[in-house]
Every structure is written in structure tokens, then in C-alpha cells.
């Protein structure tokens, strides 16, 4: 009964301590809630996206057939090579092939997500997975036969999210790639095979299953192990078969990953569990580890800063604790009382963090839904694993926030405190340790603010660029014309033929063909031989067709004509911003420029400027134009044509018809081109604007939270230091020292951590920036230069707030009368 009474009295005592300083209590809870919330959200997201297994009856025996090597990740294999490879596989059964590609979907006249990725699969894949459909049937062998009715099997999330969960959906029609396609089945909830984003499955075409030539189309292979075989034996077989394949079809190897310049062609191979990411284990693990480390550091800093505040609180009442020890109070009970304060703050912070995480999960799903892009296999919610992770985080938080004050209670020399007061309360080692923690916190927060400001500035540039784009009635696509099927000349012929056929259709106003090469350095010709060369950066773009398709207008001179493509003098058209950079006060028409270092090859010939156009933006050049905001256009025939996008401006009210016409004309020229995605540019840019706004808000929120953590840590350290110097301050003031002199000396003393922290962060930032400049990574260099002013302002604001948090405890102490300060012991 006595113990229960003690526990109740300890509980009430802790509540009184927290209630005495509500500002401290609320601030500590909010800081911990932020750190815990970020950790909970990140852990759940990483687990769901990267590592949560797809549970299937036969899941432990399902494997993916990969090109490449395990450290570099699971890569696709070219369809032509896989068709030969599967004929010789002896260690695997039920070998299936899959191809993923974005498609356009319409349902009852309504456009569904433009970024939907469909899986084109063999019918045997469903039999291998051993999961029955919820409604209807799965794919069958006859669905692959020539002339078979187009059919599709859809996922549970897609059915519920976009088709309203209609029980009679089987037999309904979707329009996929402008082709009427019957829904024949709905898979049960949780079925995400072969990966977490599965939402619809189409029969794979015969041209991909058994291609007649190597057309650069990538596929993924799936299979089960034969009885008696192991993953190692299967991997060894795939590795040997890939080596033999490379001997028959030689490539130029890349020493980094064992692949040619074509990412699909590799000379090594292995089998991997079906849950392993196709994007590459190295890439996935790097992202997951990087995000986890970042959020763990924020969590750690939040806990340690609250712990520093609690240590300052312990030092404030150290004389009271010393008296209680002298009167016989056991240290264990004092320890539990000290820990009780941490426990209550952590529990309150944990509850608030769970509410924050739940709201964030719901907001994230609503945000993604508003973009009409739903991660079908991704459901974020507070589940059992989230609660378990929260308990682990709470335990760590209790330990981290209470370690310093509890260490003080266990190791404190209370006899010295009773004799000399609180002047030695914190001790040399714990004082150095707490200052070290705050110094590291300042360094980390400086790094976060530095990187975050650059990211926010870049996102802001993209959002502003998007806001100025006119995307009415514009659609685009990017046909994949593989290097092994098409030469540059043959690709150019393909696009000329497509241009001619599109020009004959009544639903299409005009079209343009664009190949964005990247950011290059340009040099203008100088008339004075003694003058230094004049260089600037711009986006290099190959172009053919009408500039008005991209919203551009000719401001001076002309746009390209047919004679610019063949034997005429090389010509260039430049944007208004590029003209201003090169020739700010004169007309650029007739002047000459050249690409100084494109593709790391020889310098290109001088080109005559024949026109100046208004600024234009397409989905392909958006990110680069947000960096340099200037462009130089060359005839498409003069540049590589392996990544050409086609943009079409439809006549008013004809955008759906124009989409069908574009697909039909491309397929008429080559029916072996992989699935094409037709993008409505108003949707693409609308999506980009929302994403950039979300990113800006996210970075801003993290920056504010980091600032809060910084204020808490600095304030706690300063409060602690000032408490230890109370008698010294009282003595100096009694001897005639002015408040200004005392304030200046204390500011210099406790600002050392700020200076050291900034020095550490700069020791990390400056060498990285130097390496970027030495490596001449042009886009990043430009982004850093453009972000100089915002970064300077952000860091100045950060350090100003930190200095205020340093000065405030000093100011509070100087308000005490000298006699009152001298009585503080």
C-alpha cells in the first residue's frame, strides 16, 4: 500500500513540475511529436514501398529473372534475348514474361489516370501465383491468339478507386490505348503480383513474346524453382546463359555495371526473390537508407535537445534534490521521479505523433487521389506494425531524453552542491557532452537548411515555369525506336512520314518533334580577335515542325524550314532569354554561335542565328528550362534522334480524336513499337504544379521543425550554462560590472557552439561544392549559383533566431537583482 501511495505522490509531483512551466512542457512535447511523427511516417512509407512482402500462397518459390548483378539491382532483359534465353533454362519451371508500360485509359467517356502502368503478361503468370480472382476470370491461353478479343484483368484497388466498386464490372469496357477492351476479371484485395504497383493486366503481344528482331523492348521474367534446385544453382545457370548470349550478340561493356550503353543489355544475370525491386537493390537501398538516416537524425536531435532542456531543469532544482538526499530520500526514487518527467513528455509526444501520422497518411492518399495517380498497392494507415514501431521509438525517446538528467542524479556530488551551491552542478564531462550534442545539432540543421533551401528554390522555379505555359489542346507521346532497329537516318524518315500523315488529318492543327539533349555551354562569335570568348549556358533542343505547338511565337527572323535540314548553312533559333544573354542590346539575327562542349565530343560548327522565339516549355525540357531559362534550337536532323517526343496541337473539341489519330498513325508506321502513353499536357503540367507546391510545403515544414529543434537545443544549453554562472554574474554586478559587459562576455562564451557547428557544416558543404565545380556538373552548378541569395537569407535567418535563443536566458538572468543572484546557490 505504501508503494502505491509513493507512486501516486510521484505521479502528482511530476505533473506539478510540468505544470509549473507550461511553455517548456508544450515545446518539449511538440518537438518530440515532430521527431516521432517524421520517423513513424518515414518508417511506414519505406516499409510499404520498398520492403513489405507481397504475400502469396506460392510466394516463397517465386523468382524474378534478372540481368545485371545483384549489387547493381534487377535489370530488364531485351525481349529478343529473353525469348532465346528461356529455351535453354533447365533449373526453372513456369517461366513467364512481363512488360510494364504506361497506358491511357478511359471508362464510360471519362479519362482515368494518365500515368497508369499496365502489366502485359502471359496467362501462365496467374496460374503460377495460385490466386483466384474475386470476380470473373484471369487471362487464358486463347487471349493471346491472333484476332482474340482485347481483354484486361484489373486490381481490387483500381476497381474500388476508379470504377466505383461496381459488382457488374465484369463485361464492361475500358478504352485502353484507344482500343475497346473488355474487363474479364477483378483480383482480390492485396493481390499485387508481380510487384506492389500492379493494378491491371493485359495479354502480352506475340511480337514481345517471340520478336523477330532485337527491337530494344525490355521485359521481366518470372519463374519457380524446379524441385531439387536452389537459387544459387538457378543464378549460376542464368549467369552462364547471359555470357553465352553476349558472345552471340556482342556489346561494348560498361565496367561499372557490366552492361552496354543500352541499359537492357547485360552480360551477367541472376535470379532474385519476386519482392526485390526491379529498379535495383542498390538504388532502392540507397534511397531507403538515406531517408532513414536523415529522419533518424532529426528524431535523435529532437530527443537529445529535449534531454538537454530536462538536464537544465534538473540543475535548476539540484539544491532541492540534494536536500532530499541529505534527508534520506533513496536515489532510486529520485531517479524514477526524474524519468517520470521524460516518460510523460514522451507519451504525450507519442500520442500527438500518432495523430499527426494518421492525418498525414490520410492527407497523402487524398493528395495522390487529387492528382489522379493512385498507388494501388500502397495503403498507408496506422496498423499493427506502425504501433510496434511507435513503441520502439517511444522507448528510445524515453532513454535518450532521460539519459542526461538521470546520469546527473546517479552521479551527482550532492555534498558539494550543499556546500558550494549549483556552481558545479553539471560537471565537466556532462557539460562538454551536452555542448557537443548541441554543436552537432547546429551543424546538421545548417546542412538541412542549406540543402532544403536549394531544393525549395528549384521547386519554386519549376512551379513558376509551369504557371506560364499554355497547354490547351496539346497532347504528346514518345515512340520508342530502338537503336538496334533504327539508325538516326531511319528514325528521321519515320518522324517525317508521321509528320506528313498527321498534317492530313482534320482534327490536328499542327505538330512538333522535339529531342531535348540537355544543358550545354554555347559560345558566341566575337568580331574583335583580342576579345575573350563569350560563353553561356542554355538548353540544347533538336526541333522539327511548328513552334506554335509548344506555345512559341517568332519574335524576330524566322523558324526552321526544310532547307535548314540538308545542305544549307547550319542554322539555329534561340529563345528570347538566350538572345538577351548573348546580345543584350543588338539584334542576334545573322550572328553566329556554336555548341562548346555537347556530348563530350568535338565542338560543333558555327551556326547562323535565323530567328528569335518566345520562351517555350514542354514536359521533356521543363526541369532543364527551370534551371537556365534559355534555349537554343537546332534542326532535329543535326542531333541524335533516339529520344524524340511528338507534341500535337488538336483543334478545339477534338483532343480525344487527335489522340486516336496519333496512336493509329504511329502503329501504321510500325506496329512493333511498345505500348505508347498519350499525355494531355494540361494534366501533366497541372500535376507538376501540384507536386511542386506539395514539395515546397514539405520542405518548408521540415525547415520550420528543424528551426524549432535548434531553438530548443540552444535555449536549453544556454539556460543550463547561465544557471551555473548565477553566482558569478551576481558577484560581477555587485562589483560594478555593467549588464552590457556581462551580456557581451556571456554571449561570446555560449556562442562558441554556434560558431563551431557552422564551421563543421561548412567543412562538409564547401568540399562537396568544390567537387561539383571540379567535375563541371553544369546543372547542379547553375542551381547552386541561382540559390546563393535564398540560401544566404535562410541561413542568416536561422542564425539570427539561434542568437535570440542564446540571448534570451542571459536577458532573463540579468533581470535579477545582484543580491538575489548572489543568493542563488
Amino acid at each position: 500500500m505504501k508503494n502505491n501511495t509513493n507512486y501516486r505522490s510521484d505521479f502528482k509531483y511530476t505533473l506539478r513540475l510540468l505544470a509549473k512551466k507550461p511553455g517548456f512542457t508544450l515545446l518539449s512535447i511538440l518537438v518530440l511529436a515532430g521527431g516521432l511523427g517524421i520517423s513513424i511516417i518515414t518508417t511506414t512509407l519505406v516499409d510499404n514501398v520498398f520492403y513489405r512482402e507481397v504475400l502469396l500462397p506460392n510466394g516463397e518459390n517465386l523468382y524474378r529473372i534478372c540481368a545485371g548483378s545483384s549489387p547493381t539491382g534487377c535489370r530488364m532483359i531485351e525481349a529478343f534475348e529473353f525469348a532465346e534465353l528461356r529455351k535453354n533454362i533447365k533449373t526453372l519451371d513456369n517461366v513467364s514474361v512481363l512488360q510494364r508500360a504506361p497506358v491511357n485509359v478511359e471508362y464510360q467517356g471519362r479519362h482515368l489516370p494518365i500515368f497508369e502502368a499496365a502489366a502485359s503478361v502471359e496467362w501462365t503468370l496467374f496460374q503460377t501465383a495460385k490466386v483466384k480472382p474475386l470476380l470473373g476470370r484471369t487471362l487464358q491461353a486463347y487471349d493471346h491468339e491472333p484476332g482474340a478479343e482485347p481483354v484486361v484483368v484489373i486490381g481490387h484497388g483500381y476497381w474500388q478507386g476508379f470504377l466505383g466498386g461496381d459488382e457488374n464490372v465484369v463485361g464492361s469496357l475500358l478504352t485502353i490505348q484507344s482500343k475497346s477492351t473488355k474487363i474479364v476479371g477483378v483480383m482480390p484485395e492485396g493481390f499485387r503480383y508481380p510487384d506492389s504497383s500492379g493494378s491491371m493486366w493485359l495479354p502480352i503481344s506475340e511480337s514481345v513474346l517471340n520478336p523477330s528482331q532485337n527491337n530494344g523492348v525490355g521485359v521481366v521474367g518470372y519463374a519457380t524453382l524446379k524441385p531439387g534446385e536452389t537459387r544459387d544453382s538457378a543464378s549460376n545457370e542464368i549467369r552462364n546463359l547471359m555470357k553465352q548470349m553476349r558472345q552471340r550478340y556482342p556489346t561494348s561493356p560498361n565496367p561499372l555495371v557490366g552492361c552496354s550503353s543500352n541499359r537492357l543489355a547485360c552480360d551477367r544475370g541472376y535470379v532474385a526473390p519476386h519482392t526485390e525491386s526491379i529498379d535495383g537493390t542498390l538504388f532502392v537501398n540507397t534511397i531507403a537508407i538515406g531517408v532513414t538516416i536523415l529522419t533518424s537524425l532529426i528524431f535523435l536531435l529532437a530527443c537529445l535537445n529535449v534531454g538537454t532542456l530536462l538536464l537544465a531543469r534538473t540543475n535548476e532544482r539540484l539544491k532541492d534534490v540534494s536536500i532530499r538526499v541529505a534527508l534520506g530520500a533513496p536515489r532510486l526514487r529520485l531517479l524514477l521521479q526524474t524519468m517520470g518527467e521524460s516518460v510523460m513528455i514522451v507519451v504525450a509526444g507519442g500520442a500527438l505523433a500518432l495523430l499527426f501520422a494518421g492525418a498525414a497518411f490520410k492527407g497523402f492518399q487524398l493528395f495522390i487521389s487529387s492528382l489522379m495517380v493512385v498507388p494501388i498497392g500502397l495503403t498507408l494507415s496506422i496498423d499493427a506494425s506502425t504501433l510496434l514501431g511507435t513503441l520502439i521509438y517511444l522507448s528510445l525517446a524515453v532513454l535518450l531524453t532521460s539519459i542526461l538528467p538521470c546520469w546527473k542524479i546517479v552521479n551527482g556530488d550532492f555534498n558539494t552542491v550543499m556546500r558550494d551551491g549549483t556552481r558545479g552542478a553539471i560537471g565537466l564531462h556532462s557539460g562538454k557532452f551536452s555542448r557537443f550534442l548541441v554543436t552537432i545539432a547546429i551543424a546538421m540543421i545548417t546542412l538541412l537548411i542549406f540543402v532544403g533551401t536549394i531544393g525549395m528554390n528549384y521547386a519554386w522555379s519549376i512551379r513558376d515555369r509551369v504557371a506560364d505555359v499554355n497547354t490547351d489542346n496539346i497532347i504528346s507521346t514518345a515512340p520508342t525506336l530502338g537503336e538496334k532497329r533504327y539508325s538516326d537516318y531511319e528514325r528521321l524518315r519515320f518522324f517525317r512520314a508521321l509528320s506528313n500523315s498527321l498534317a492530313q488529318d482534320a482534327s490536328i492543327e499542327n505538330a512538333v518533334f522535339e529531342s531535348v539533349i540537355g544543358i550545354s555551354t554555347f559560345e558566341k562569335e566575337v568580331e574583335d580577335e583580342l576579345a575573350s570568348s563569350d560563353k553561356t549556358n542554355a538548353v540544347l533542343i533538336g526541333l522539327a515542325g511548328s513552334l506554335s505547338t509548344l506555345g512559341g511565337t517568332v519574335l524576330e527572323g524566322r523558324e526552321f524550314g526544310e532547307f535548314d535540314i540538308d545542305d544549307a548553312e547550319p542554322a539555329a533559333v534561340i529563345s528570347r532569354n538566350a538572345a538577351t544573354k548573348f546580345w543584350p542590346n543588338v539584334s542576334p539575327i545573322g550572328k553566329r554561335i556554336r555548341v562548346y562542349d555537347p556530348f563530350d565530343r568535338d565542338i560543333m560548327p558555327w551556326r547562323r542565328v535565323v530567328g528569335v522565339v518566345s520562351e517555350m516549355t514542354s514536359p521533356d525540357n521543363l526541369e532543364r528550362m527551370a534551371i537556365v531559362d534559355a534555349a537554343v534550337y537546332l534542326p532535329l536532323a543535326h542531333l541524335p534522334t533516339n529520344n524524340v517526343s511528338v507534341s500535337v496541337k488538336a483543334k478545339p473539341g477534338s483532343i480525344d480524336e487527335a489522340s486516336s489519330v496519333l496512336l493509329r498513325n504511329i502503329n501504321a508506321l510500325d506496329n512493333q513499337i511498345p505500348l505508347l502513353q498519350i499525355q494531355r499536357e494540361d494534366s501533366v503540367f497541372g500535376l507538376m504544379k501540384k507536386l511542386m507546391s506539395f514539395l515546397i510545403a514539405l520542405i518548408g515544414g521540415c525547415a520550420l521543425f528543424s528551426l524549432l529543434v535548434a531553438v530548443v537545443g540552444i535555449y536549453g544549453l544556454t539556460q543550463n550554462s547561465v544557471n551555473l554562472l548565477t553566482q558569478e554574474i551576481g558577484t560581477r554586478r555587485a562589483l560594478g560590472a555593467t549588464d552590457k559587459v556581462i551580456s557581451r562576455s556571456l554571449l561570446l562564451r555560449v556562442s562558441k557552439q554556434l560558431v563551431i557547428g557552422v564551421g563543421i557544416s561548412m567543412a562538409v558543404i564547401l568540399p562537396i561544392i568544390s567537387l561539383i565545380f571540379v567535375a563541371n556538373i553544369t546543372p547542379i552548378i547553375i542551381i547552386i549559383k541561382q540559390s546563393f541569395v535564398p540560401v544566404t537569407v535562410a541561413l542568416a535567418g536561422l542564425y539570427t533566431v539561434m542568437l535570440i535563443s542564446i540571448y534570451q536566458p542571459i536577458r532573463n538572468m540579468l533581470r535579477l537583482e545582484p543580491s538575489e543572484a548572489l543568493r542563488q546557490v
Side-chain angles (χ1 to χ4, degrees):
M1 186 70 182
K2 182 178 179 181
N3 285 338
N4 289 336
T5 303
N6 287 340
Y7 292 147
R8 283 197 296 270
S9 63
D10 289 346
F11 179 74
K12 292 178 180 178
Y13 174 73
T14 304
L15 285 178
R16 287 196 301 272
L17 286 177
L18 294 174
K20 282 178 65 177
K21 291 194 174 181
F24 159 82
T25 303
L26 180 61
L27 187 61
S28 299
I29 291 173
L30 288 176
V31 169
L32 272 178
L36 284 166
I38 291 172
S39 299
I40 292 169
I41 292 169
T42 303
T43 302
T44 303
L45 191 61
V46 168
D47 179 55
N48 272 271
V49 173
F50 296 135
Y51 299 116
R52 182 161 294 185
E53 292 188 0
V54 181
L55 301 178
L56 296 170
N58 198 30
E60 72 282 353
N61 196 35
L62 290 173
Y63 288 89
R64 177 180 277 133
I65 302 172
C66 304
S69 59
S70 185
T72 60
C74 189
R75 295 172 177 268
M76 293 185 289
I77 302 176
E78 291 201 9
F80 179 79
E81 295 182 354
F82 189 82
E84 290 200 24
L85 188 74
R86 71 188 299 179
K87 297 175 185 176
N88 301 300
I89 296 176
K90 308 296 184 186
T91 58
L92 299 172
D93 266 336
N94 305 310
V95 178
S96 303
V97 65
L98 173 148
Q99 179 194 20
R100 295 192 67 81
V103 295
N104 299 289
V105 184
E106 294 179 47
Y107 180 63
Q108 296 179 350
R110 178 168 59 94
H111 281 278
L112 295 184
I114 59 173
F115 293 113
E116 187 54 51
S120 296
V121 302
E122 289 185 79
W123 70 277
T124 53
L125 184 141
F126 290 96
Q127 279 62 41
T128 304
K130 295 183 178 180
V131 175
K132 294 181 179 180
L134 178 68
L135 299 174
R137 66 173 176 86
T138 59
L139 300 180
Q140 301 298 322
Y142 53 80
D143 292 322
H144 296 281
E145 294 176 359
E149 180 184 22
V151 296
V152 63
V153 176
I154 62 174
H156 187 276
Y158 200 87
W159 173 54
Q160 290 288 332
F162 295 114
L163 307 183
D166 183 4
E167 295 286 344
N168 301 313
V169 72
V170 174
S172 299
L173 296 178
L174 290 177
T175 302
I176 301 177
Q177 299 299 91
S178 301
K179 186 184 296 183
S180 183
T181 307
K182 180 188 287 186
I183 300 173
V184 296
V186 178
M187 297 307 291
E189 186 174 6
F191 181 82
R192 297 181 286 168
Y193 185 66
D195 56 43
S196 61
S197 59
S199 59
M200 62 171 53
W201 297 265
L202 301 163
I204 198 164
S205 68
E206 181 66 20
S207 64
V208 177
L209 273 178
N210 297 295
S212 59
Q213 56 183 322
N214 205 334
N215 56 10
V217 174
V219 297
V220 184
Y222 288 89
T224 58
L225 287 174
K226 284 186 176 180
E229 299 293 345
T230 65
R231 177 185 174 184
D232 287 340
S233 65
S235 289
N236 288 333
E237 181 185 33
I238 297 299
R239 188 178 301 114
N240 291 331
L241 290 174
M242 288 298 293
K243 287 181 179 179
Q244 295 171 21
M245 186 77 66
R246 197 55 55 234
Q247 290 173 359
R248 292 198 298 274
Y249 305 104
T251 62
S252 302
N254 181 329
L256 294 178
V257 295
C259 298
S260 71
S261 58
N262 185 330
R263 66 184 180 86
L264 305 178
C266 299
D267 58 7
R268 283 179 281 179
Y270 68 105
V271 297
H274 76 101
T275 52
E276 187 170 294
S277 171
I278 191 172
D279 293 326
T281 53
L282 181 63
F283 176 73
V284 166
N285 289 336
T286 299
I287 291 179
I289 291 171
V291 171
T292 303
I293 289 175
L294 184 64
T295 53
S296 296
L297 284 172
I298 293 176
F299 167 73
L300 179 65
L301 292 174
C303 291
L304 294 181
N305 280 323
V306 172
T308 303
L309 275 180
L310 287 171
L311 177 62
R313 294 255 297 183
T314 301
N315 284 326
E316 285 180 359
R317 59 176 189 271
L318 206 54
K319 182 179 179 182
D320 174 63
V321 173
S322 301
I323 293 172
R324 294 176 66 189
V325 170
L327 294 175
R331 292 202 183 194
L332 179 60
R333 186 176 178 189
L334 294 174
L335 184 65
L336 291 175
Q337 288 178 349
T338 303
M339 286 190 66
E341 195 170 3
S342 295
V343 169
M344 288 187 182
I345 289 174
V346 168
V347 169
L352 193 59
L354 278 176
L355 292 174
F356 169 57
F361 292 154
K362 183 173 289 187
F364 179 76
Q365 297 283 34
L366 290 173
F367 172 72
I368 295 296
S369 298
S370 73
L371 303 179
M372 289 295 285
V373 182
V374 177
I376 300 299
L378 179 62
T379 303
L380 298 176
S381 60
I382 304 294
D383 55 15
S385 62
T386 304
L387 293 176
L388 177 61
T390 301
L391 287 176
I392 295 173
Y393 278 122
L394 289 177
S395 301
L396 286 172
V398 169
L399 176 65
L400 292 170
T401 56
S402 61
I403 187 170
L404 285 175
C406 287
W407 183 90
K408 189 64 210 172
I409 294 296
V410 171
N411 295 282
D413 187 355
F414 296 109
N415 291 327
T416 301
V417 173
M418 292 291 292
R419 183 178 64 250
D420 299 330
T422 58
R423 285 175 292 180
I426 191 171
L428 180 63
H429 296 296
S430 61
K432 285 184 177 180
F433 182 61
S434 63
R435 289 194 294 273
F436 168 77
L437 292 176
V438 173
T439 300
I440 297 301
I442 292 170
M444 285 301 305
I445 290 163
T446 300
L447 289 171
L448 288 171
I449 294 295
F450 179 84
V451 175
T453 304
I454 291 176
M456 182 181 289
N457 186 58
Y458 182 47
W460 217 300
S461 298
I462 293 179
R463 193 180 69 173
D464 289 347
R465 186 84 192 181
V466 167
D468 297 332
V469 178
N470 181 5
T471 57
D472 293 343
N473 299 315
I474 298 177
I475 56 176
S476 63
T477 190
T480 302
L481 306 180
E483 293 181 5
K484 297 183 179 179
R485 293 181 61 215
Y486 286 85
S487 65
D488 272 338
Y489 176 73
E490 290 169 333
R491 277 192 292 269
L492 193 60
R493 285 184 59 192
F494 176 93
F495 291 122
R496 279 177 170 168
L498 180 58
S499 177
N500 292 334
S501 61
L502 292 176
Q504 319 237 341
D505 196 276
S507 65
I508 293 176
E509 197 169 292
N510 46 51
V512 69
F513 299 81
E514 180 187 38
S515 177
V516 181
I517 305 303
I519 297 175
S520 296
T521 301
F522 290 84
E523 179 183 24
K524 79 172 184 179
E525 186 178 35
V526 292
E527 298 176 359
D528 185 354
E529 294 182 357
L530 299 177
S532 59
S533 60
D534 194 357
K535 302 185 184 75
T536 192
N537 295 113
V539 181
L540 176 62
I541 301 173
L543 205 65
S546 174
L547 297 174
S548 61
T549 309
L550 300 178
T553 56
V554 178
L555 303 177
E556 191 176 356
R558 60 175 176 84
E559 55 185 318
F560 294 130
E562 280 297 320
F563 53 86
D564 294 311
I565 295 178
D566 297 319
D567 299 323
E569 180 184 11
V573 172
I574 63 178
S575 70
R576 175 170 40 202
N577 287 340
T580 302
K581 287 183 178 182
F582 274 127
W583 297 279
N585 301 313
V586 297
S587 171
I589 302 301
K591 306 293 185 181
R592 297 207 303 172
I593 61 172
R594 67 178 175 183
V595 182
Y596 190 73
D597 56 351
F599 330 122
D600 294 324
R601 296 204 298 254
D602 293 336
I603 297 174
M604 296 181 71
W606 289 101
R607 292 181 172 271
R608 188 80 59 185
V609 177
V610 298
V612 179
V613 298
S614 60
E615 307 306 318
M616 299 180 291
T617 302
S618 67
D620 287 345
N621 66 30
L622 172 62
E623 295 179 3
R624 298 176 181 88
M625 291 296 289
I627 296 174
V628 298
D629 199 24
V632 174
Y633 303 93
L634 306 185
L636 185 63
H638 294 175
L639 294 171
T641 55
N642 51 328
N643 291 302
V644 174
S645 63
V646 184
S647 296
V648 170
K649 186 174 182 63
K651 291 183 178 178
S654 302
I655 193 165
D656 291 333
E657 184 181 352
S659 299
S660 300
V661 168
L662 180 57
L663 281 174
R664 189 167 58 248
N665 279 277
I666 291 174
N667 289 329
L669 290 170
D670 187 346
N671 60 10
Q672 293 192 37
I673 291 178
L675 291 174
L676 290 169
Q677 179 190 23
I678 304 295
Q679 298 183 139
R680 292 185 54 153
E681 294 200 1
D682 55 353
S683 299
V684 175
F685 282 109
L687 169 66
M688 186 62 70
K689 185 175 181 179
K690 289 182 179 179
L691 284 174
M692 291 303 105
S693 297
F694 174 75
L695 183 61
I696 291 168
L698 182 65
I699 295 175
C702 289
L704 288 175
F705 177 74
S706 299
L707 186 60
L708 180 62
V709 171
V711 170
V712 169
I714 293 289
Y715 184 90
L717 174 67
T718 307
Q719 183 72 55
N720 209 22
S721 301
V722 170
N723 287 342
L724 298 176
L725 298 172
T726 302
Q727 283 188 316
E728 177 186 333
I729 293 171
T731 302
R732 292 177 65 184
R733 293 179 72 192
L735 294 175
T738 63
D739 288 351
K740 185 176 182 180
V741 171
I742 296 173
S743 176
R744 186 187 303 118
S745 65
L746 289 177
L747 273 174
L748 291 174
R749 188 183 302 185
V750 298
S751 295
K752 288 181 180 179
Q753 282 67 50
L754 177 60
V755 175
I756 296 172
V758 173
I760 292 173
S761 63
M762 290 299 112
V764 174
I765 291 171
L766 294 178
I768 293 175
I769 293 178
S770 299
L771 287 174
I772 291 171
F773 275 82
V774 170
N776 197 27
I777 308 176
T778 302
I780 300 179
I781 291 173
I782 295 172
I783 292 172
I784 291 174
K785 288 181 177 179
Q786 290 178 343
S787 303
F788 178 78
V789 173
V791 166
T792 302
V793 172
L795 291 179
L798 171 67
Y799 300 143
T800 299
V801 173
M802 287 184 177
L803 285 172
I804 292 172
S805 66
I806 289 173
Y807 178 71
Q808 190 61 37
I810 297 173
R811 183 169 175 267
N812 293 339
M813 180 59 66
L814 293 176
R815 287 177 176 175
L816 295 175
E817 292 294 328
S819 58
E820 186 178 352
L822 286 169
R823 288 196 300 270
Q824 301 286 327
V825 293

